[in-house]
Amino acid sequence: MPKITFVTADGARTEVDAAEGSTVMENAIKNMVQGIEAECGGACACATCHVYVDDAWSGKTGSPEPMEEDMLDFAYDVKPTSRLSCQIKVTGDMDGLVVHVPERQA
């Protein structure tokens, strides 16, 4: 089972086991990761599950699709590695994935 590490703005780290096929957001909510609100429940209709994918992992998580890019316009402090965690599907290749949670959600 792949492990994902969430790093909050204050540096706290939470490592979780993630089922393949689930989303990074689902795993954050299931494990009560601070800073991931996910108000739309994963429908790509808000930007409250915004994360920064660690540079070492951006190739594995892929690039945002156009709908996700539109929602990222509403996110706080967007960076080149910004993604909506509801749009990142967990695969076996993501064991060790590190994502950073912004200091606040939009």
Side-chain angles (χ1 to χ4, degrees):
M1 185 171 284
K3 293 195 181 304
I4 301 172
T5 300
F6 294 88
V7 183
T8 58
D10 66 1
R13 299 172 76 85
T14 303
E15 185 177 279
V16 304
D17 292 320
E20 290 186 47
S22 65
T23 66
V24 171
M25 181 273 304
E26 289 168 337
N27 289 285
I29 296 303
K30 178 180 173 185
N31 291 281
M32 296 181 285
V33 172
Q34 293 296 311
I36 302 291
E37 298 170 14
E39 290 177 1
C40 75
C44 196
C46 72
T48 60
C49 68
H50 175 217
V51 295
Y52 307 118
V53 176
D54 194 83
D55 290 336
W57 289 94
S58 59
K60 295 274 186 192
T61 58
S63 301
E65 297 291 326
M67 186 172 167
E68 180 181 355
E69 286 179 347
D70 289 346
M71 286 296 105
L72 282 168
D73 288 342
F74 299 102
Y76 172 76
D77 194 24
V78 174
K79 297 180 180 179
T81 61
S82 287
R83 292 292 308 272
L84 297 182
S85 60
C86 68
Q87 298 302 298
I88 304 172
K89 290 273 190 203
V90 177
T91 67
D93 291 344
M94 291 183 187
D95 186 33
L97 174 65
V98 177
V99 296
H100 301 265
V101 180
E103 68 177 283
R104 68 181 175 91
Q105 297 289 349

